[in-house]
Amino acid sequence: MADTLTKLAYQALQQGKSLVGVAHKEVSTKLMELVAPQGAPKTRPIPPQMLMDLQAANSALMEIDWEEAEQGLYPTSLLFDAPWLDWAARYPMVWLDMPSTWNRRSERNVSDLPPDVESDNYPDYYLQNFHHQTDGYLSDHSASLYDLQVEILFNGTADPMRRRVIKPLVQGLRAFAERPASQLRVLDVATGTGRTLRQVRAALPQVQLVGLDLSSAYLRQANRWLSQLPDELPQLVQGNGESMPFASGSMQGVTCVFLLHELPGDARQNVIDECFRVLEPGGVLVLADSVQLADSPQFETAMDNFRRVFHEPYYRDYIGDDIEARLTATGFSGIRATSHLMTRVWSATKP
Ligand SMILES: C[S@@+](CC[C@H](N)C(=O)[O-])C[C@H]1O[C@@H](n2cnc3c(N)ncnc32)[C@H](O)[C@@H]1O
């Protein structure tokens, strides 16, 4: 009985988030068409069949999210975990930030970054306003709005999609079952504000967690969220996923969520190569990113619209990329992939 009520509460929460996300996008799009029509993106209408497919995939995501909590892979409380008060307080800032986003879009200005950014510290492909967002990834302001913006973009499904890395990660770490959990290290590449680390921490309270990202502002935000958790504080390191400051074979698990689509092809390969290098033989890599044309052709219009609405310069290349071939070429084995709504999850082992 208690389980049924909790499940109903979870479904109601997800439906509520979805309604808020859809309503926010409807209103903000109408406002942009009115106030800044020259910047309004030309999107393709979503076919009715695709809407039905999206709804079915959303229900399947909620079901698996619930089932894996029931199986004990992570606590049920994680399904309700979000900084609600903080998001409510920040929501007006999302609206206040919109006019500058529309301006950049109208002017096709994608390099509007803070003047004090030391560009030599970053790869060229990084120095852009991804999603047209203010300051790109390079300010505390951007980091403070990011989680809420992603939550709205995915209609509240961002964390359920991120949680799909937990099962393959936990299964992969069984290769080291003879070691105490406290001696295992899991690295989250491009951890951003640490939402994935937060999910992983709930599932694996004793393993050592490390988060790497190029943005010190995003890492500061991650530190704020993660330091509220009771378990050992994850280590947060500023660095490039293409050349990570970790010893070879020093990690037993590596995750990487929503990074690959923001990289040019050669950087994508470099990151996969680096994940291979830092893993100990027997270790597991779990990647999560947008679905692609080959696995989810029914969502082609949604993928195309995403690219039209947001500045995502490498997305078109990414959705046609063969990630399995890259993993195989790098030396990974046991490659598996599954899709969950708009996210594809790959797991692979270093032999
Ligand atoms: C779309 S966000 C994803 C963040 C996080 N994984 C999540 O699930 O929300 C992309 C992140 O990748 C980081 N990033 C981009 N290129 C990177 C690179 N070459 N090395 C490390 N981090 C990078 C950005 O700073 C940003 O935090």
Side-chain angles (χ1 to χ4, degrees):
M1 181 65 180
D3 271 5
T4 312
L5 284 179
T6 315
K7 186 174 183 184
L8 284 174
Y10 169 61
Q11 288 169 335
L13 174 71
Q14 286 306 117
Q15 276 153 12
K17 287 201 276 185
S18 173
L19 284 177
V20 172
V22 170
H24 173 97
K25 285 190 287 252
E26 283 281 318
V27 176
S28 57
T29 304
K30 290 267 177 303
L31 198 64
M32 175 171 42
E33 285 165 359
L34 209 67
V35 177
Q38 65 287 13
K42 294 189 177 29
T43 52
R44 287 162 51 194
I46 302 285
Q49 180 59 47
M50 197 182 112
L51 269 184
M52 287 194 282
D53 290 341
L54 282 170
Q55 272 159 8
N58 195 10
S59 301
L61 175 66
M62 270 195 284
E63 200 53 39
I64 196 169
D65 204 21
W66 173 258
E67 271 170 23
E68 292 187 357
E70 286 259 281
Q71 289 163 17
L73 279 159
Y74 42 85
T76 310
S77 57
L78 195 60
L79 305 181
F80 299 89
D81 175 69
W84 300 113
L85 285 178
D86 183 274
W87 283 355
R90 280 171 211 259
Y91 185 59
M93 284 164 62
V94 171
W95 282 99
L96 290 174
D97 190 53
M98 268 180 217
S100 62
T101 304
W102 298 336
N103 272 346
R104 276 190 295 280
R105 202 194 294 273
S106 307
E107 292 165 6
R108 296 179 189 277
N109 181 357
V110 294
S111 46
D112 179 22
L113 299 173
D116 56 348
V117 165
E118 303 233 6
S119 49
D120 291 350
N121 293 347
Y122 304 98
D124 288 347
Y125 62 76
Y126 187 73
L127 294 171
Q128 306 191 43
N129 300 90
F130 285 91
H131 324 135
H132 299 283
Q133 73 197 38
T134 301
D135 302 332
Y137 286 119
L138 292 163
S139 74
D140 292 315
H141 171 77
S142 163
S144 74
L145 296 186
Y146 172 83
D147 285 341
L148 185 52
Q149 287 168 328
V150 172
E151 200 61 21
I152 292 169
L153 167 69
F154 287 127
N155 297 336
T157 62
D159 280 349
M161 292 196 286
R162 289 188 183 104
R163 278 194 284 277
R164 306 288 55 83
V165 304
I166 292 177
K167 186 173 184 179
L169 177 65
V170 168
Q171 287 176 336
L173 290 178
R174 286 190 191 137
F176 305 98
E178 80 290 352
R179 292 188 207 167
S182 58
Q183 285 179 20
L184 302 181
R185 294 224 295 168
V186 171
L187 165 69
D188 185 39
V189 179
T191 198
T193 55
R195 283 302 304 172
T196 302
L197 281 180
R198 199 174 166 97
Q199 318 301 308
V200 172
R201 171 52 85 219
L204 298 165
Q206 274 149 14
V207 302
Q208 297 175 41
L209 297 182
V210 185
L212 176 104
D213 202 280
L214 264 174
S215 167
S216 55
Y218 275 57
L219 291 174
R220 266 193 298 280
Q221 184 69 45
N223 187 49
R224 252 172 245 133
W225 293 134
L226 296 167
S227 57
Q228 296 166 354
L229 298 176
D231 305 293
E232 196 182 313
L233 194 60
Q235 185 189 358
L236 299 173
V237 179
Q238 187 177 12
N240 188 340
E242 293 183 81
S243 52
M244 298 199 259
F246 306 116
S248 301
S250 58
M251 306 286 166
Q252 287 69 46
V254 174
T255 56
C256 180
V257 177
F258 302 146
L259 170 67
L260 298 183
H261 74 279
E262 296 201 340
L263 300 177
D266 54 347
R268 223 174 279 146
Q269 186 62 51
N270 292 341
V271 168
I272 292 174
D273 291 348
E274 272 294 87
C275 292
F276 188 85
R277 182 186 66 76
V278 301
L279 273 172
E280 179 180 335
V284 60
L285 169 66
V286 188
L287 301 171
D289 214 297
S290 165
V291 290
Q292 299 182 299
L293 293 172
D295 60 79
S296 302
Q298 74 278 23
F299 296 148
E300 188 269 332
T301 312
M303 292 182 229
D304 191 37
N305 282 348
F306 177 66
R307 181 184 67 73
R308 288 166 189 248
V309 174
F310 296 102
H311 177 61
E312 284 287 2
Y314 310 110
Y315 187 72
R316 197 207 292 252
D317 178 68
Y318 162 80
I319 57 177
D321 196 5
D322 189 341
I323 301 297
E324 287 184 37
R326 290 190 185 278
L327 289 166
T328 307
T330 304
F332 281 103
S333 64
I335 300 164
R336 291 196 188 146
T338 49
S339 296
H340 304 279
L341 188 58
M342 295 310 289
T343 294
R344 185 91 171 147
V345 177
W346 293 266
S347 61
T349 306
K350 177 170 176 174

